[in-house]
Amino acid sequence: MATDAVAQLADSLAKTQVTEGELSYKGQGRKFDNAQSVEEIVKEIQEFKGLQALRLEGNTYGVEAAQAIAKALETKSEFKYCYWSDMFTGRLRSEIPPALNSLGAALMTAGARLTVLDLSDNAFGPDGVKGIEKLLKSTACHTLQELRLNNCGMGIGGGKILAAALTECYKQSSAQGTPLGLKVFIAGRNRLENDGATALAQAFQLMGSLEEVHVPQNGINHPGVTALATAMQHNPQLRVLNLNDNTFTKKGAIAMAQALKHLRSVQVINFGDCLVRSEGAIAIAEAITEGLPILKELNLSFGEITGEAALLVAQSVEGKATLEKLDLNGNCLGEEGCDALREVMDGLNMGDLLGSLSDDEGEPEEEDDDEDEDEEDDYEEEEEDDDVEEEDSSVNQVSSPPSVPRSPDASSFLCFPSPDKLLKLGTKRALLFEQQVDVADAGKTAEAFLKISSVYNEEDKDVKSAVLDSIGKGHLSYFRKNSWFSSALYYCSPCVSPSPCLIQSEDKVKPVRVVPGHLQALEYVVRQDYFPQDHIAVLEAFMSRHIQALESCSSSRNILKSTLEQVRPEN
């Protein structure tokens, strides 16, 4: 289409001022190692009068290159917008903090007042957060409105550092009469877990200015969800709340439902793949019925919601004139439940707003409620164990026997993947996964592959080795027995519309958002002798297509395409 052609042309331009005051080097895929390599960039920054925005994303910058660019920014007092995502690909983790420190120091020297700080897709870990800590506490961020740190691998420690920095920024800016008014916070795929989320929740509650919060895929369970729910009540202008792919269970969902009753401006709710369960869904439905007058989108997909609860959710959106989409796909309605849901939505003249129900899991077994309670009890036991361990480490009591450590649990990792959990599985992780996963089922094996590879980190040698060890040893025998693994992998990926000829598993597999780790791990797999040769051409064809979901993984995608060309069998 003409629109797509224009977009591609715009992206391919070496430099373009897409907005007034902006200088862009976006997506050039260049490697800048030293000051000499960025001489042209430095010169253009120096000569650019009234520079407000600088796009560096889609390239990779070494410490010396970053320092040279920083020096040029020291005089740019009108600077407001940092679009610096994906700018350290292939760099050692130790290089990133000094690079960020120099850039941040330059902005402080310039007296800049930032509006947007985007450092997404940099995988810098907790040390990277330390690299921007001074900047976040400085007057340069007193005016910050958007903070984007998606897919940075901050972890619990990084989340706590970030929360403390935002809190300090708020206190200092408030003392000067201009309190920090952060509106957009994005930090998906950061392994924040409960402690990181709880620390950030305290900062959110203090600020009270948030309009959008996106923290999907962070391994947050109901204690962290409850903390966030409490914080959201103090942000009355909240419009978008995205906690996709965390684990609410009943307790977290009910807490979040209570928070929604205090909010009137919410337009988008994404609690998909959050296991809100039926009781949680009913509580959320009650909150929607009582309020949320301008709701546009509600996503409660893959939440193990039963038919009766889904009907209450549907009924709750009656009269919501602004509603554009209701997503209840992947729940436990059964065929009759799906029909009943469609009938209710049709009766409300909202049938066209109901999303697909093609991935419905069917009616649940009776023990599901017990499983919900067991899971919540497990989370509480884990927290109690952590508390006990802290007490034991601080008090040396000879009479107290040491606590018995929990055995590695592959199933826990597969439910809530995180690098720490993978490392704790030890050297037998591959065997543990084979024992846990039914390798005779293509869909289940592919889903396990996606979860394991999702934590892949090129900069963390231990995690990288653990992932490759797990998928290399853990799937060797399966690849040799079943040549349809990659077909199931495509079926799991939302970036591709699966072809019936490629789907060899009758089980429905929950869609998974593609991340760089998937492609990086797959690149390793295709180089192994057990990867089916007849899959190479098919995979190469998919990687060559224009797929929007893969745009955030462009570097990993290009490496995979290059490898596929190298291993392509001769005709």
Side-chain angles (χ1 to χ4, degrees):
M1 295 176 63
T3 303
D4 293 335
V6 171
Q8 290 174 14
L9 176 60
D11 287 340
S12 67
L13 293 177
K15 292 182 288 289
T16 177
Q17 274 181 250
V18 297
T19 61
E20 184 179 357
E22 177 178 291
L23 186 60
S24 176
Y25 301 90
K26 178 181 178 180
Q28 295 184 19
R30 298 169 64 185
K31 186 176 183 182
F32 301 101
D33 293 324
N34 49 42
Q36 184 178 1
S37 66
V38 293
E39 284 181 350
E40 181 184 353
I41 295 177
V42 169
K43 182 180 179 182
E44 293 189 351
I45 292 174
Q46 291 173 337
E47 295 177 351
F48 198 119
K49 295 182 179 180
L51 181 65
Q52 296 184 23
L54 179 62
R55 290 189 175 273
L56 298 175
E57 66 264 51
N59 303 289
T60 177
Y61 303 83
V63 176
E64 290 185 14
Q67 290 173 340
I69 292 173
K71 187 68 176 176
L73 288 172
E74 288 182 352
T75 60
K76 303 301 176 180
S77 60
E78 298 178 44
F79 197 78
K80 296 180 180 180
Y81 308 98
C82 301
Y83 297 110
W84 297 347
S85 63
D86 188 20
M87 55 181 286
F88 297 114
T89 299
R91 300 291 173 183
L92 296 175
R93 180 170 288 187
S94 59
E95 294 181 84
I96 301 177
L100 291 174
N101 265 318
S102 62
L103 290 166
L107 298 178
M108 289 185 279
T109 299
R113 294 293 184 268
L114 297 183
T115 300
V116 176
L117 178 58
D118 185 356
L119 290 166
S120 298
D121 300 317
N122 278 313
F124 48 49
D127 290 340
V129 184
K130 293 178 182 178
I132 59 172
E133 186 177 7
K134 290 182 179 179
L135 174 63
L136 289 172
K137 292 179 178 180
S138 74
T139 55
C141 286
H142 286 186
T143 53
L144 194 64
Q145 294 184 15
E146 297 185 17
L147 180 58
R148 300 172 180 268
L149 296 169
N150 199 58
N151 192 32
C152 288
M154 291 188 290
I156 295 173
K160 290 182 176 180
I161 295 170
L162 176 62
L166 290 173
T167 299
E168 182 66 20
C169 182
Y170 178 82
K171 290 180 178 178
Q172 290 187 13
S173 59
S174 296
Q176 295 181 16
T178 55
L180 172 65
L182 190 67
K183 294 181 179 180
V184 178
F185 180 84
I186 300 176
R189 290 188 53 77
N190 270 291
R191 311 192 322 265
L192 295 172
E193 302 186 18
N194 289 333
D195 289 346
T198 299
L200 285 168
Q202 294 171 353
F204 296 162
Q205 182 169 334
L206 188 65
M207 292 185 292
S209 57
L210 289 167
E211 296 180 8
E212 294 187 26
V213 175
H214 303 261
V215 286
Q217 292 183 290
N218 269 294
I220 307 171
N221 301 329
H222 73 80
V225 173
T226 299
L228 288 171
T230 300
M232 294 305 102
Q233 295 183 36
H234 297 269
N235 288 265
Q237 301 305 313
L238 188 70
R239 295 183 295 103
V240 179
L241 184 56
N242 176 8
L243 276 81
N244 187 280
D245 202 5
N246 289 290
T247 308
F248 285 33
T249 59
K250 180 178 67 176
K251 290 184 178 179
I254 291 176
M256 194 59 73
Q258 289 300 314
L260 291 174
K261 292 182 178 180
H262 296 268
L263 302 169
R264 302 284 296 176
S265 300
V266 172
Q267 298 177 21
V268 178
I269 298 173
N270 187 344
F271 297 160
D273 203 10
C274 285
L275 291 183
V276 299
R277 301 282 169 81
S278 294
E279 290 184 71
I282 292 171
I284 292 171
E286 180 181 341
I288 294 172
T289 301
E290 296 178 3
L292 304 182
I294 56 174
L295 184 65
K296 289 184 177 180
E297 296 182 19
L298 174 62
N299 184 348
L300 295 178
S301 60
F302 298 97
E304 295 192 3
I305 300 170
T306 59
E308 293 182 0
L311 292 179
L312 290 175
V313 172
Q315 292 166 0
S316 72
V317 301
E318 181 177 6
K320 307 295 180 184
T322 57
L323 190 72
E324 296 175 358
K325 184 176 181 180
L326 172 62
D327 190 347
L328 287 167
N329 196 21
N331 283 299
C332 305
L333 312 185
E335 186 175 348
E336 293 183 1
C338 288
D339 290 340
L341 179 60
R342 294 189 186 97
E343 184 177 343
V344 168
M345 291 299 288
D346 286 339
L348 297 174
N349 293 321
M350 292 181 166
D352 58 333
L353 306 183
L354 179 64
S356 170
L357 300 174
S358 61
D359 292 316
D360 186 72
E361 298 287 344
E363 295 185 21
E365 297 180 3
E366 294 182 359
E367 65 268 19
D368 279 0
D369 289 339
D370 294 334
E371 289 177 1
D372 188 11
E373 294 176 3
D374 290 342
E375 285 179 9
E376 293 183 346
D377 290 342
D378 286 343
Y379 300 145
E380 290 168 358
E381 287 174 9
E382 287 176 5
E383 290 165 13
E384 290 172 2
D385 289 346
D386 290 341
D387 292 340
V388 171
E389 289 173 6
E390 290 177 3
E391 292 175 8
D392 289 344
S393 64
S394 61
V395 181
N396 185 13
Q397 297 179 340
V398 178
S399 59
S400 299
S403 58
V404 179
R406 289 173 175 262
S407 59
D409 187 356
S411 62
S412 175
F413 171 86
L414 292 173
C415 287
F416 316 111
S418 76
D420 293 337
K421 288 182 180 178
L422 183 63
L423 293 175
K424 288 179 181 179
L425 291 177
T427 57
K428 294 184 178 180
R429 60 180 69 89
L431 177 61
L432 293 172
F433 283 129
E434 285 208 40
Q435 293 173 344
Q436 185 67 34
V437 179
D438 180 8
V439 295
D441 186 303
K444 291 180 180 178
T445 307
E447 189 173 12
F449 175 90
L450 290 167
K451 289 185 175 181
I452 295 168
S453 60
S454 70
V455 303
Y456 183 99
N457 188 338
E458 184 68 33
E459 310 300 331
D460 191 322
K461 293 182 179 179
D462 291 336
V463 174
K464 174 182 176 180
S465 177
V467 170
L468 298 184
D469 176 69
S470 300
I471 63 176
K473 294 179 181 178
H475 292 82
L476 177 58
S477 60
Y478 175 63
F479 269 117
R480 288 178 173 169
K481 289 190 298 183
N482 191 321
S483 63
W484 288 102
F485 175 87
S486 60
S487 298
L489 180 61
Y490 303 149
Y491 185 44
C492 289
S493 302
C495 65
V496 178
S497 297
S499 169
C501 66
L502 293 176
I503 301 170
Q504 298 298 311
S505 172
E506 294 181 358
D507 292 337
K508 293 177 179 177
V509 182
K510 193 162 43 178
V512 176
R513 179 182 299 131
V514 178
V515 297
H518 294 147
L519 303 186
Q520 290 164 336
L522 190 56
E523 189 273 337
Y524 166 82
V525 169
V526 300
R527 286 189 278 110
Q528 309 309 308
D529 58 5
Y530 54 75
F531 189 81
Q533 293 289 299
D534 57 348
H535 278 40
I536 293 175
V538 178
L539 182 55
E540 191 172 14
F542 276 123
M543 289 298 106
S544 299
R545 291 172 55 186
H546 179 68
I547 301 170
Q548 186 176 1
L550 292 180
E551 289 182 357
S552 62
C553 313
S554 58
S555 178
S556 301
R557 179 187 190 180
N558 290 336
I559 294 173
L560 175 56
K561 288 170 66 177
S562 177
T563 299
L564 288 168
E565 290 178 3
Q566 296 173 20
V567 301
R568 183 194 304 152
E570 298 293 336
N571 292 330

